[in-house]
Amino acid sequence: DADVTQTPRNRITKTGKRIMLECSQTKGHDRMYWYRQDPGLGLRLIYYSFDVKDINKGEISDGYSVSRQAQAKFSLSLESAIPNQTALYFCATSDLATNYGYTFGSGTRLTVV
Amino acid sequence: KQEVTQIPAALSVPEGENLVLNCSFTDSAIYNLQWFRQDPGKGLTSLLLIQSSQREQTSGRLNASLDKSSGRSTLYIAASQPGDSATYLCAVTGRDDKIIFGKGTRLHILP
């Protein structure tokens, strides 16, 4: 089983719909992150969480919200999806034990039509 | 504001050659620097992590160096193989715990 699991792997949704992307990890890491990747723009940080009670905005948090349900689970929601949120979304984890090196999930490809 | 630049954006080399990928960053106050590999449409795989106090890390045919004072890191790949074809990303973690990624170098090894 993967250390960092993202579901779904692919999703097509309509403009205006609410959608949730889920991430779970078995690494026991404290820190979890959500990124989106767009061609030509690289990886951009949406939200991050250093522990269950800690949630922080990244550089592009508008239009997104997150929930850290447990140490192992961090979900990303798009309250009202719009086409420019079409992207590849990645969850990542890190921890002091690994000197904050990142472990990434396999990604969710989201298409908003 | 930290900026991470990777040059070149794309590179094609014949199989068997040794090659160097470059990463530069504008703020030398970093906690660590990490190199990743990404295959098309896939997630990122960590290759090497260099702490700010270290000068280099090695794994197999890969060697990464770090020169904080000049704001540079290089990823050296020895004896390149077609399976090394991928996009290579550099990421730095600042003292503020923020991680900034470069846009990557797309590497193509010609058989």
Side-chain angles (χ1 to χ4, degrees):
Chain A
D1 288 341
D3 293 324
V4 181
T5 302
Q6 291 184 235
T7 56
R9 291 296 307 276
N10 292 283
R11 181 72 182 268
I12 299 174
T13 193
K14 293 183 178 180
T15 297
K17 292 290 188 182
R18 184 179 189 274
I19 183 170
M20 179 182 289
L21 309 183
E22 298 189 348
C23 176
S24 63
Q25 53 120 342
T26 58
K27 297 187 73 69
H29 286 176
D30 290 329
R31 300 184 174 194
M32 299 187 73
Y33 310 81
W34 275 104
Y35 284 88
R36 66 177 279 177
Q37 187 176 39
D38 300 273
L41 295 178
L43 280 150
R44 293 181 292 168
L45 181 62
I46 307 172
Y47 271 96
Y48 60 104
S49 168
F50 284 176
D51 64 41
V52 175
K53 297 180 180 178
D54 176 78
I55 301 290
N56 304 282
K57 292 183 177 181
E59 57 183 302
I60 54 162
S61 59
D62 288 346
Y64 301 94
S65 63
V66 291
S67 174
R68 185 83 183 265
Q69 301 96 322
Q71 185 198 37
K73 297 190 174 186
F74 192 37
S75 58
L76 176 72
S77 294
L78 286 68
E79 298 301 326
S80 180
I82 56 177
N84 78 358
Q85 291 178 313
T86 293
L88 190 55
Y89 289 84
F90 288 105
C91 175
T93 70
S94 73
D95 195 78
L96 177 62
T98 59
N99 292 313
Y100 300 117
Y102 269 28
T103 300
F104 276 81
S106 298
T108 294
R109 183 170 296 282
L110 176 66
T111 303
V112 183
V113 297
Chain B
K1 179 185 175 184
Q2 178 75 273
E3 293 182 4
V4 179
T5 303
Q6 293 186 245
I7 295 173
L11 181 64
S12 293
V13 299
E15 180 180 3
E17 282 199 5
N18 303 324
L19 58 98
V20 174
L21 306 181
N22 297 295
C23 173
S24 61
F25 47 95
T26 54
D27 185 351
S28 61
I30 65 171
Y31 185 78
N32 64 37
L33 183 145
Q34 195 165 3
W35 282 93
F36 295 88
R37 169 190 172 132
Q38 185 178 26
D39 294 289
K42 304 291 186 182
L44 281 70
T45 301
S46 178
L47 298 174
L48 290 163
L49 172 71
I50 311 176
Q51 295 300 313
S52 62
S53 58
Q54 298 174 324
R55 298 282 296 187
E56 66 177 347
Q57 285 286 331
T58 298
S59 176
R61 295 182 294 108
L62 305 179
N63 175 275
S65 67
L66 175 63
D67 183 344
K68 274 201 320 177
S69 62
S70 66
R72 293 182 181 183
S73 176
T74 61
L75 179 67
Y76 175 83
I77 302 176
S80 58
Q81 304 170 358
D84 294 330
S85 296
T87 296
Y88 291 81
L89 293 137
C90 164
V92 298
T93 303
R95 295 290 177 180
D96 57 1
D97 286 331
K98 290 185 178 178
I99 298 92
I100 306 295
F101 284 83
K103 293 183 179 179
T105 294
R106 192 169 61 255
L107 177 64
H108 183 208
I109 305 299
L110 304 166

